[in-house]
Amino acid sequence: MAAIWDEFEHDPRRAENSALRAGDRERDVIRRALGDAYADGRLDREEFDTRIDQVSTARTLGDLPDLVKDLVPVTATSTTAATRRDQAVNAYAKDRKDALWTFLSVSLLCWVIWVATSFGDGGFDPYFPWPLFPMLGTGINVGRMVFMRNEIIAQEVRSLEKKERKALERDARGELRPPE
């Protein structure tokens, strides 16, 4: 039931959103959470009716979390583990593509320079193929991206979790998050 916060366009737990006016859609989310709690036996009929009346009279988004704070985790993360993993996989795919592009572009540029400087008065006179060194350097990164895929994704997931924990701590202290 902690996923109810995902259903809000503007998270009512965040200080900068608390003064925004609540609409029918937001009230319906809270009504549904209260109905689930009543059906589970966590609210008696009188308390359920009282809270439903309060939902109907709630004017701002900031009025809504208090109505369910003992029923759903108010500070729960809105990002699921699967979502974090998807974000990490997408970041890995981008980094892998960037590493491959760097390898190919540096290699091509170096080989073009090598070929262009190998021409002299006597025609093509190749000397030591120095472009192999930049290829080796950029190729190591491509290899790392390919062979350490799972470790890189796991590290990115940990990084996302750490950022989310810090953001939740700032929210708990009432500080505003920087725009993402």
Side-chain angles (χ1 to χ4, degrees):
M1 193 148 91
I4 69 167
W5 308 116
D6 293 339
E7 297 182 47
F8 286 84
E9 183 176 347
H10 303 287
D11 191 336
R13 300 171 295 173
R14 293 182 57 180
E16 67 268 23
N17 296 334
S18 64
L20 295 174
R21 299 288 287 202
D24 291 337
R25 182 173 148 222
E26 292 86 3
R27 288 186 193 94
D28 287 341
V29 171
I30 299 299
R31 283 188 193 103
R32 195 168 48 250
L34 292 171
D36 291 345
Y38 177 67
D40 292 343
R42 291 183 284 143
L43 292 176
D44 62 26
R45 183 63 190 195
E46 181 181 332
E47 191 173 17
F48 173 73
D49 289 338
T50 301
R51 291 187 190 199
I52 288 294
D53 290 342
Q54 291 173 335
V55 170
S56 299
T57 60
R59 292 182 183 258
T60 65
L61 292 179
D63 296 335
L64 300 176
D66 286 342
L67 299 174
V68 293
K69 71 181 176 187
D70 59 339
L71 303 173
V72 297
V74 175
T75 59
T77 61
S78 61
T79 306
T80 64
T83 302
R84 279 190 299 272
R85 175 134 176 97
D86 289 345
Q87 291 172 344
V89 168
N90 290 339
Y92 165 78
K94 180 192 175 302
D95 290 347
R96 186 187 63 212
K97 188 188 322 179
D98 289 347
L100 183 59
W101 174 250
T102 300
F103 171 76
L104 293 174
S105 60
V106 167
S107 298
L108 179 64
L109 179 64
C110 289
W111 282 108
V112 166
I113 292 170
W114 180 79
V115 168
T117 58
S118 294
F119 282 100
D121 292 337
F124 186 67
D125 184 23
Y127 54 95
F128 184 76
W130 59 264
L132 293 175
F133 292 113
M135 285 181 70
L136 179 64
T138 56
I140 287 172
N141 190 38
V142 172
R144 182 185 71 84
M145 295 299 295
V146 171
F147 294 112
M148 296 184 67
R149 177 186 188 275
N150 293 335
E151 292 86 355
I152 292 169
I153 290 172
Q155 182 180 8
E156 181 66 19
V157 167
R158 286 190 300 274
S159 174
L160 291 169
E161 289 170 345
K162 183 178 178 181
K163 286 179 186 176
E164 195 167 323
R165 270 194 312 276
K166 285 184 177 184
L168 287 171
E169 288 170 4
R170 281 193 304 270
D171 281 351
R173 292 189 306 260
E175 297 174 10
L176 297 178
R177 285 189 205 174
E180 297 175 2

PDB file of all heavy atoms in Angstrom, residues 1-4 29-49 51 67-74:
ATOM      1  N   MET A   1       0.820  -1.196   0.000  1.00  0.00           N
ATOM      2  CA  MET A   1       0.000   0.000   0.000  1.00  0.00           C
ATOM      3  C   MET A   1       0.865   1.263   0.000  1.00  0.00           C
ATOM      4  O   MET A   1       0.374   2.330  -0.248  1.00  0.00           O
ATOM      5  CB  MET A   1      -0.926  -0.018   1.208  1.00  0.00           C
ATOM      6  CG  MET A   1      -2.007   1.016   1.119  1.00  0.00           C
ATOM      7  SD  MET A   1      -3.517   0.543   1.873  1.00  0.00           S
ATOM      8  CE  MET A   1      -3.303   1.147   3.494  1.00  0.00           C
ATOM      9  N   ALA A   2       2.167   1.126   0.234  1.00  0.00           N
ATOM     10  CA  ALA A   2       3.054   2.289   0.229  1.00  0.00           C
ATOM     11  C   ALA A   2       3.131   2.922  -1.148  1.00  0.00           C
ATOM     12  O   ALA A   2       3.537   4.062  -1.284  1.00  0.00           O
ATOM     13  CB  ALA A   2       4.444   1.896   0.696  1.00  0.00           C
ATOM     14  N   ALA A   3       2.717   2.205  -2.172  1.00  0.00           N
ATOM     15  CA  ALA A   3       2.780   2.734  -3.535  1.00  0.00           C
ATOM     16  C   ALA A   3       1.725   3.803  -3.785  1.00  0.00           C
ATOM     17  O   ALA A   3       1.686   4.362  -4.872  1.00  0.00           O
ATOM     18  CB  ALA A   3       2.625   1.597  -4.532  1.00  0.00           C
ATOM     19  N   ILE A   4       0.897   4.114  -2.793  1.00  0.00           N
ATOM     20  CA  ILE A   4      -0.122   5.142  -3.024  1.00  0.00           C
ATOM     21  C   ILE A   4       0.509   6.474  -3.378  1.00  0.00           C
ATOM     22  O   ILE A   4      -0.074   7.257  -4.111  1.00  0.00           O
ATOM     23  CB  ILE A   4      -1.101   5.310  -1.827  1.00  0.00           C
ATOM     24  CG1 ILE A   4      -0.412   5.927  -0.623  1.00  0.00           C
ATOM     25  CG2 ILE A   4      -1.762   4.008  -1.473  1.00  0.00           C
ATOM     26  CD1 ILE A   4      -1.368   6.400   0.452  1.00  0.00           C
ATOM     27  N   VAL A  29      -7.419   8.600  -3.961  1.00  0.00           N
ATOM     28  CA  VAL A  29      -6.294   7.732  -3.592  1.00  0.00           C
ATOM     29  C   VAL A  29      -6.321   7.475  -2.091  1.00  0.00           C
ATOM     30  O   VAL A  29      -6.181   6.332  -1.635  1.00  0.00           O
ATOM     31  CB  VAL A  29      -4.948   8.376  -4.015  1.00  0.00           C
ATOM     32  CG1 VAL A  29      -3.769   7.605  -3.443  1.00  0.00           C
ATOM     33  CG2 VAL A  29      -4.844   8.473  -5.532  1.00  0.00           C
ATOM     34  N   ILE A  30      -6.529   8.522  -1.307  1.00  0.00           N
ATOM     35  CA  ILE A  30      -6.560   8.381   0.152  1.00  0.00           C
ATOM     36  C   ILE A  30      -7.806   7.596   0.577  1.00  0.00           C
ATOM     37  O   ILE A  30      -7.734   6.739   1.466  1.00  0.00           O
ATOM     38  CB  ILE A  30      -6.503   9.763   0.851  1.00  0.00           C
ATOM     39  CG1 ILE A  30      -5.197  10.483   0.489  1.00  0.00           C
ATOM     40  CG2 ILE A  30      -6.658   9.628   2.353  1.00  0.00           C
ATOM     41  CD1 ILE A  30      -3.930   9.768   0.917  1.00  0.00           C
ATOM     42  N   ARG A  31      -8.939   7.854  -0.059  1.00  0.00           N
ATOM     43  CA  ARG A  31     -10.161   7.082   0.253  1.00  0.00           C
ATOM     44  C   ARG A  31      -9.933   5.590   0.012  1.00  0.00           C
ATOM     45  O   ARG A  31     -10.364   4.752   0.799  1.00  0.00           O
ATOM     46  CB  ARG A  31     -11.331   7.576  -0.599  1.00  0.00           C
ATOM     47  CG  ARG A  31     -11.946   8.859  -0.129  1.00  0.00           C
ATOM     48  CD  ARG A  31     -13.224   9.176  -0.920  1.00  0.00           C
ATOM     49  NE  ARG A  31     -13.631  10.526  -0.677  1.00  0.00           N
ATOM     50  CZ  ARG A  31     -13.463  11.551  -1.514  1.00  0.00           C
ATOM     51  NH1 ARG A  31     -12.911  11.365  -2.697  1.00  0.00           N
ATOM     52  NH2 ARG A  31     -13.861  12.758  -1.190  1.00  0.00           N
ATOM     53  N   ARG A  32      -9.265   5.262  -1.092  1.00  0.00           N
ATOM     54  CA  ARG A  32      -8.999   3.863  -1.416  1.00  0.00           C
ATOM     55  C   ARG A  32      -8.080   3.242  -0.354  1.00  0.00           C
ATOM     56  O   ARG A  32      -8.303   2.109   0.077  1.00  0.00           O
ATOM     57  CB  ARG A  32      -8.383   3.769  -2.810  1.00  0.00           C
ATOM     58  CG  ARG A  32      -8.394   2.392  -3.397  1.00  0.00           C
ATOM     59  CD  ARG A  32      -8.062   2.324  -4.882  1.00  0.00           C
ATOM     60  NE  ARG A  32      -6.876   3.080  -5.265  1.00  0.00           N
ATOM     61  CZ  ARG A  32      -6.890   4.202  -5.980  1.00  0.00           C
ATOM     62  NH1 ARG A  32      -8.030   4.707  -6.388  1.00  0.00           N
ATOM     63  NH2 ARG A  32      -5.774   4.818  -6.298  1.00  0.00           N
ATOM     64  N   ALA A  33      -7.072   3.988   0.097  1.00  0.00           N
ATOM     65  CA  ALA A  33      -6.170   3.483   1.131  1.00  0.00           C
ATOM     66  C   ALA A  33      -6.931   3.257   2.441  1.00  0.00           C
ATOM     67  O   ALA A  33      -6.719   2.250   3.128  1.00  0.00           O
ATOM     68  CB  ALA A  33      -5.013   4.461   1.351  1.00  0.00           C
ATOM     69  N   LEU A  34      -7.815   4.179   2.780  1.00  0.00           N
ATOM     70  CA  LEU A  34      -8.621   4.013   3.989  1.00  0.00           C
ATOM     71  C   LEU A  34      -9.569   2.825   3.856  1.00  0.00           C
ATOM     72  O   LEU A  34      -9.765   2.061   4.818  1.00  0.00           O
ATOM     73  CB  LEU A  34      -9.401   5.297   4.286  1.00  0.00           C
ATOM     74  CG  LEU A  34      -8.565   6.503   4.717  1.00  0.00           C
ATOM     75  CD1 LEU A  34      -9.428   7.763   4.758  1.00  0.00           C
ATOM     76  CD2 LEU A  34      -7.892   6.249   6.050  1.00  0.00           C
ATOM     77  N   GLY A  35     -10.154   2.663   2.677  1.00  0.00           N
ATOM     78  CA  GLY A  35     -11.052   1.525   2.443  1.00  0.00           C
ATOM     79  C   GLY A  35     -10.319   0.191   2.580  1.00  0.00           C
ATOM     80  O   GLY A  35     -10.845  -0.756   3.169  1.00  0.00           O
ATOM     81  N   ASP A  36      -9.088   0.139   2.060  1.00  0.00           N
ATOM     82  CA  ASP A  36      -8.285  -1.082   2.199  1.00  0.00           C
ATOM     83  C   ASP A  36      -7.975  -1.363   3.663  1.00  0.00           C
ATOM     84  O   ASP A  36      -8.040  -2.505   4.111  1.00  0.00           O
ATOM     85  CB  ASP A  36      -6.980  -0.964   1.407  1.00  0.00           C
ATOM     86  CG  ASP A  36      -7.201  -0.977  -0.102  1.00  0.00           C
ATOM     87  OD1 ASP A  36      -8.296  -1.352  -0.556  1.00  0.00           O
ATOM     88  OD2 ASP A  36      -6.251  -0.594  -0.828  1.00  0.00           O
ATOM     89  N   ALA A  37      -7.645  -0.310   4.420  1.00  0.00           N
ATOM     90  CA  ALA A  37      -7.335  -0.477   5.835  1.00  0.00           C
ATOM     91  C   ALA A  37      -8.574  -0.944   6.605  1.00  0.00           C
ATOM     92  O   ALA A  37      -8.476  -1.793   7.493  1.00  0.00           O
ATOM     93  CB  ALA A  37      -6.798   0.831   6.424  1.00  0.00           C
ATOM     94  N   TYR A  38      -9.728  -0.404   6.256  1.00  0.00           N
ATOM     95  CA  TYR A  38     -10.978  -0.819   6.907  1.00  0.00           C
ATOM     96  C   TYR A  38     -11.269  -2.288   6.580  1.00  0.00           C
ATOM     97  O   TYR A  38     -11.613  -3.081   7.466  1.00  0.00           O
ATOM     98  CB  TYR A  38     -12.122   0.083   6.460  1.00  0.00           C
ATOM     99  CG  TYR A  38     -13.465  -0.308   7.032  1.00  0.00           C
ATOM    100  CD1 TYR A  38     -13.717  -0.198   8.391  1.00  0.00           C
ATOM    101  CD2 TYR A  38     -14.473  -0.798   6.202  1.00  0.00           C
ATOM    102  CE1 TYR A  38     -14.947  -0.565   8.918  1.00  0.00           C
ATOM    103  CE2 TYR A  38     -15.698  -1.160   6.714  1.00  0.00           C
ATOM    104  CZ  TYR A  38     -15.930  -1.054   8.074  1.00  0.00           C
ATOM    105  OH  TYR A  38     -17.137  -1.425   8.594  1.00  0.00           O
ATOM    106  N   ALA A  39     -11.083  -2.657   5.308  1.00  0.00           N
ATOM    107  CA  ALA A  39     -11.332  -4.040   4.894  1.00  0.00           C
ATOM    108  C   ALA A  39     -10.373  -5.011   5.578  1.00  0.00           C
ATOM    109  O   ALA A  39     -10.736  -6.155   5.859  1.00  0.00           O
ATOM    110  CB  ALA A  39     -11.204  -4.161   3.371  1.00  0.00           C
ATOM    111  N   ASP A  40      -9.141  -4.546   5.872  1.00  0.00           N
ATOM    112  CA  ASP A  40      -8.152  -5.388   6.552  1.00  0.00           C
ATOM    113  C   ASP A  40      -8.387  -5.440   8.064  1.00  0.00           C
ATOM    114  O   ASP A  40      -7.693  -6.165   8.775  1.00  0.00           O
ATOM    115  CB  ASP A  40      -6.736  -4.863   6.314  1.00  0.00           C
ATOM    116  CG  ASP A  40      -6.296  -5.026   4.870  1.00  0.00           C
ATOM    117  OD1 ASP A  40      -6.919  -5.810   4.130  1.00  0.00           O
ATOM    118  OD2 ASP A  40      -5.306  -4.349   4.485  1.00  0.00           O
ATOM    119  N   GLY A  41      -9.313  -4.617   8.570  1.00  0.00           N
ATOM    120  CA  GLY A  41      -9.592  -4.596  10.001  1.00  0.00           C
ATOM    121  C   GLY A  41      -8.654  -3.702  10.789  1.00  0.00           C
ATOM    122  O   GLY A  41      -8.600  -3.775  12.010  1.00  0.00           O
ATOM    123  N   ARG A  42      -7.934  -2.820  10.115  1.00  0.00           N
ATOM    124  CA  ARG A  42      -7.018  -1.918  10.825  1.00  0.00           C
ATOM    125  C   ARG A  42      -7.720  -0.643  11.272  1.00  0.00           C
ATOM    126  O   ARG A  42      -7.160   0.124  12.046  1.00  0.00           O
ATOM    127  CB  ARG A  42      -5.825  -1.581   9.939  1.00  0.00           C
ATOM    128  CG  ARG A  42      -4.933  -2.811   9.729  1.00  0.00           C
ATOM    129  CD  ARG A  42      -3.691  -2.525   8.930  1.00  0.00           C
ATOM    130  NE  ARG A  42      -4.050  -2.393   7.526  1.00  0.00           N
ATOM    131  CZ  ARG A  42      -3.503  -1.538   6.689  1.00  0.00           C
ATOM    132  NH1 ARG A  42      -2.578  -0.711   7.105  1.00  0.00           N
ATOM    133  NH2 ARG A  42      -3.877  -1.503   5.439  1.00  0.00           N
ATOM    134  N   LEU A  43      -8.911  -0.403  10.790  1.00  0.00           N
ATOM    135  CA  LEU A  43      -9.748   0.726  11.226  1.00  0.00           C
ATOM    136  C   LEU A  43     -11.120   0.180  11.589  1.00  0.00           C
ATOM    137  O   LEU A  43     -11.642  -0.706  10.909  1.00  0.00           O
ATOM    138  CB  LEU A  43      -9.917   1.758  10.098  1.00  0.00           C
ATOM    139  CG  LEU A  43      -8.709   2.561   9.649  1.00  0.00           C
ATOM    140  CD1 LEU A  43      -9.094   3.447   8.462  1.00  0.00           C
ATOM    141  CD2 LEU A  43      -8.180   3.414  10.779  1.00  0.00           C
ATOM    142  N   ASP A  44     -11.706   0.733  12.670  1.00  0.00           N
ATOM    143  CA  ASP A  44     -13.095   0.367  12.951  1.00  0.00           C
ATOM    144  C   ASP A  44     -14.005   1.295  12.149  1.00  0.00           C
ATOM    145  O   ASP A  44     -13.545   2.265  11.526  1.00  0.00           O
ATOM    146  CB  ASP A  44     -13.394   0.413  14.455  1.00  0.00           C
ATOM    147  CG  ASP A  44     -13.215   1.793  15.067  1.00  0.00           C
ATOM    148  OD1 ASP A  44     -13.334   2.808  14.351  1.00  0.00           O
ATOM    149  OD2 ASP A  44     -12.960   1.863  16.291  1.00  0.00           O
ATOM    150  N   ARG A  45     -15.288   1.034  12.165  1.00  0.00           N
ATOM    151  CA  ARG A  45     -16.243   1.783  11.338  1.00  0.00           C
ATOM    152  C   ARG A  45     -16.250   3.272  11.694  1.00  0.00           C
ATOM    153  O   ARG A  45     -16.275   4.132  10.800  1.00  0.00           O
ATOM    154  CB  ARG A  45     -17.660   1.187  11.481  1.00  0.00           C
ATOM    155  CG  ARG A  45     -18.691   1.832  10.634  1.00  0.00           C
ATOM    156  CD  ARG A  45     -18.342   1.619   9.191  1.00  0.00           C
ATOM    157  NE  ARG A  45     -19.204   2.428   8.341  1.00  0.00           N
ATOM    158  CZ  ARG A  45     -19.319   2.248   7.057  1.00  0.00           C
ATOM    159  NH1 ARG A  45     -18.649   1.301   6.449  1.00  0.00           N
ATOM    160  NH2 ARG A  45     -20.107   3.003   6.354  1.00  0.00           N
ATOM    161  N   GLU A  46     -16.225   3.584  12.959  1.00  0.00           N
ATOM    162  CA  GLU A  46     -16.293   4.991  13.390  1.00  0.00           C
ATOM    163  C   GLU A  46     -15.049   5.767  12.919  1.00  0.00           C
ATOM    164  O   GLU A  46     -15.164   6.870  12.388  1.00  0.00           O
ATOM    165  CB  GLU A  46     -16.410   5.057  14.917  1.00  0.00           C
ATOM    166  CG  GLU A  46     -16.510   6.466  15.459  1.00  0.00           C
ATOM    167  CD  GLU A  46     -16.599   6.490  16.977  1.00  0.00           C
ATOM    168  OE1 GLU A  46     -17.095   5.523  17.580  1.00  0.00           O
ATOM    169  OE2 GLU A  46     -16.153   7.499  17.548  1.00  0.00           O
ATOM    170  N   GLU A  47     -13.886   5.162  13.109  1.00  0.00           N
ATOM    171  CA  GLU A  47     -12.656   5.835  12.690  1.00  0.00           C
ATOM    172  C   GLU A  47     -12.607   5.975  11.165  1.00  0.00           C
ATOM    173  O   GLU A  47     -12.172   6.999  10.633  1.00  0.00           O
ATOM    174  CB  GLU A  47     -11.432   5.060  13.195  1.00  0.00           C
ATOM    175  CG  GLU A  47     -10.139   5.823  13.041  1.00  0.00           C
ATOM    176  CD  GLU A  47      -8.974   5.110  13.709  1.00  0.00           C
ATOM    177  OE1 GLU A  47      -9.063   3.913  14.014  1.00  0.00           O
ATOM    178  OE2 GLU A  47      -7.960   5.793  13.909  1.00  0.00           O
ATOM    179  N   PHE A  48     -13.061   4.951  10.464  1.00  0.00           N
ATOM    180  CA  PHE A  48     -13.114   5.000   9.001  1.00  0.00           C
ATOM    181  C   PHE A  48     -14.003   6.154   8.546  1.00  0.00           C
ATOM    182  O   PHE A  48     -13.612   6.964   7.695  1.00  0.00           O
ATOM    183  CB  PHE A  48     -13.629   3.662   8.450  1.00  0.00           C
ATOM    184  CG  PHE A  48     -13.880   3.673   6.982  1.00  0.00           C
ATOM    185  CD1 PHE A  48     -12.826   3.669   6.071  1.00  0.00           C
ATOM    186  CD2 PHE A  48     -15.182   3.696   6.489  1.00  0.00           C
ATOM    187  CE1 PHE A  48     -13.072   3.677   4.699  1.00  0.00           C
ATOM    188  CE2 PHE A  48     -15.435   3.706   5.124  1.00  0.00           C
ATOM    189  CZ  PHE A  48     -14.367   3.695   4.226  1.00  0.00           C
ATOM    190  N   ASP A  49     -15.206   6.250   9.129  1.00  0.00           N
ATOM    191  CA  ASP A  49     -16.135   7.326   8.747  1.00  0.00           C
ATOM    192  C   ASP A  49     -15.554   8.710   9.047  1.00  0.00           C
ATOM    193  O   ASP A  49     -15.690   9.643   8.240  1.00  0.00           O
ATOM    194  CB  ASP A  49     -17.476   7.160   9.489  1.00  0.00           C
ATOM    195  CG  ASP A  49     -18.273   5.971   8.974  1.00  0.00           C
ATOM    196  OD1 ASP A  49     -18.025   5.533   7.825  1.00  0.00           O
ATOM    197  OD2 ASP A  49     -19.152   5.485   9.721  1.00  0.00           O
ATOM    198  N   ARG A  51     -12.378   9.595   9.200  1.00  0.00           N
ATOM    199  CA  ARG A  51     -11.299   9.912   8.258  1.00  0.00           C
ATOM    200  C   ARG A  51     -11.839  10.187   6.850  1.00  0.00           C
ATOM    201  O   ARG A  51     -11.313  11.063   6.154  1.00  0.00           O
ATOM    202  CB  ARG A  51     -10.267   8.793   8.225  1.00  0.00           C
ATOM    203  CG  ARG A  51      -9.470   8.699   9.524  1.00  0.00           C
ATOM    204  CD  ARG A  51      -8.357   7.714   9.403  1.00  0.00           C
ATOM    205  NE  ARG A  51      -7.733   7.443  10.688  1.00  0.00           N
ATOM    206  CZ  ARG A  51      -6.531   6.917  10.817  1.00  0.00           C
ATOM    207  NH1 ARG A  51      -5.822   6.585   9.761  1.00  0.00           N
ATOM    208  NH2 ARG A  51      -6.029   6.694  12.011  1.00  0.00           N
ATOM    209  N   LEU A  67      -3.793  11.666   7.313  1.00  0.00           N
ATOM    210  CA  LEU A  67      -4.968  10.794   7.403  1.00  0.00           C
ATOM    211  C   LEU A  67      -4.606   9.322   7.269  1.00  0.00           C
ATOM    212  O   LEU A  67      -5.391   8.448   7.645  1.00  0.00           O
ATOM    213  CB  LEU A  67      -5.997  11.187   6.339  1.00  0.00           C
ATOM    214  CG  LEU A  67      -6.541  12.615   6.460  1.00  0.00           C
ATOM    215  CD1 LEU A  67      -7.433  12.954   5.273  1.00  0.00           C
ATOM    216  CD2 LEU A  67      -7.293  12.777   7.770  1.00  0.00           C
ATOM    217  N   VAL A  68      -3.440   9.040   6.729  1.00  0.00           N
ATOM    218  CA  VAL A  68      -3.030   7.640   6.542  1.00  0.00           C
ATOM    219  C   VAL A  68      -1.656   7.343   7.132  1.00  0.00           C
ATOM    220  O   VAL A  68      -1.107   6.272   6.906  1.00  0.00           O
ATOM    221  CB  VAL A  68      -3.040   7.263   5.028  1.00  0.00           C
ATOM    222  CG1 VAL A  68      -4.446   7.273   4.469  1.00  0.00           C
ATOM    223  CG2 VAL A  68      -2.122   8.163   4.230  1.00  0.00           C
ATOM    224  N   LYS A  69      -1.105   8.280   7.914  1.00  0.00           N
ATOM    225  CA  LYS A  69       0.268   8.104   8.400  1.00  0.00           C
ATOM    226  C   LYS A  69       0.444   6.877   9.289  1.00  0.00           C
ATOM    227  O   LYS A  69       1.533   6.329   9.360  1.00  0.00           O
ATOM    228  CB  LYS A  69       0.767   9.360   9.106  1.00  0.00           C
ATOM    229  CG  LYS A  69       0.126   9.643  10.436  1.00  0.00           C
ATOM    230  CD  LYS A  69       0.682  10.909  11.033  1.00  0.00           C
ATOM    231  CE  LYS A  69      -0.046  11.247  12.322  1.00  0.00           C
ATOM    232  NZ  LYS A  69       0.369  12.544  12.810  1.00  0.00           N
ATOM    233  N   ASP A  70      -0.603   6.413   9.947  1.00  0.00           N
ATOM    234  CA  ASP A  70      -0.488   5.205  10.756  1.00  0.00           C
ATOM    235  C   ASP A  70      -0.890   3.947   9.973  1.00  0.00           C
ATOM    236  O   ASP A  70      -0.875   2.849  10.517  1.00  0.00           O
ATOM    237  CB  ASP A  70      -1.327   5.322  12.028  1.00  0.00           C
ATOM    238  CG  ASP A  70      -2.801   5.561  11.753  1.00  0.00           C
ATOM    239  OD1 ASP A  70      -3.139   6.028  10.647  1.00  0.00           O
ATOM    240  OD2 ASP A  70      -3.614   5.291  12.658  1.00  0.00           O
ATOM    241  N   LEU A  71      -1.190   4.126   8.686  1.00  0.00           N
ATOM    242  CA  LEU A  71      -1.611   2.995   7.850  1.00  0.00           C
ATOM    243  C   LEU A  71      -0.602   2.659   6.752  1.00  0.00           C
ATOM    244  O   LEU A  71      -0.477   1.505   6.352  1.00  0.00           O
ATOM    245  CB  LEU A  71      -2.971   3.297   7.198  1.00  0.00           C
ATOM    246  CG  LEU A  71      -4.098   3.633   8.167  1.00  0.00           C
ATOM    247  CD1 LEU A  71      -5.331   4.088   7.402  1.00  0.00           C
ATOM    248  CD2 LEU A  71      -4.412   2.432   9.041  1.00  0.00           C
ATOM    249  N   VAL A  72       0.070   3.656   6.236  1.00  0.00           N
ATOM    250  CA  VAL A  72       1.096   3.453   5.201  1.00  0.00           C
ATOM    251  C   VAL A  72       2.340   4.229   5.616  1.00  0.00           C
ATOM    252  O   VAL A  72       2.233   5.268   6.262  1.00  0.00           O
ATOM    253  CB  VAL A  72       0.634   3.921   3.798  1.00  0.00           C
ATOM    254  CG1 VAL A  72      -0.551   3.129   3.316  1.00  0.00           C
ATOM    255  CG2 VAL A  72       0.338   5.398   3.768  1.00  0.00           C
ATOM    256  N   PRO A  73       3.507   3.741   5.239  1.00  0.00           N
ATOM    257  CA  PRO A  73       4.728   4.481   5.576  1.00  0.00           C
ATOM    258  C   PRO A  73       4.764   5.813   4.834  1.00  0.00           C
ATOM    259  O   PRO A  73       4.774   5.847   3.617  1.00  0.00           O
ATOM    260  CB  PRO A  73       5.861   3.567   5.097  1.00  0.00           C
ATOM    261  CG  PRO A  73       5.244   2.249   4.817  1.00  0.00           C
ATOM    262  CD  PRO A  73       3.791   2.490   4.574  1.00  0.00           C
ATOM    263  N   VAL A  74       4.756   6.898   5.583  1.00  0.00           N
ATOM    264  CA  VAL A  74       4.768   8.224   4.976  1.00  0.00           C
ATOM    265  C   VAL A  74       6.117   8.517   4.349  1.00  0.00           C
ATOM    266  O   VAL A  74       6.212   9.199   3.348  1.00  0.00           O
ATOM    267  CB  VAL A  74       4.393   9.295   6.024  1.00  0.00           C
ATOM    268  CG1 VAL A  74       4.526  10.691   5.452  1.00  0.00           C
ATOM    269  CG2 VAL A  74       2.961   9.079   6.493  1.00  0.00           C
TER     270      VAL A  74
END
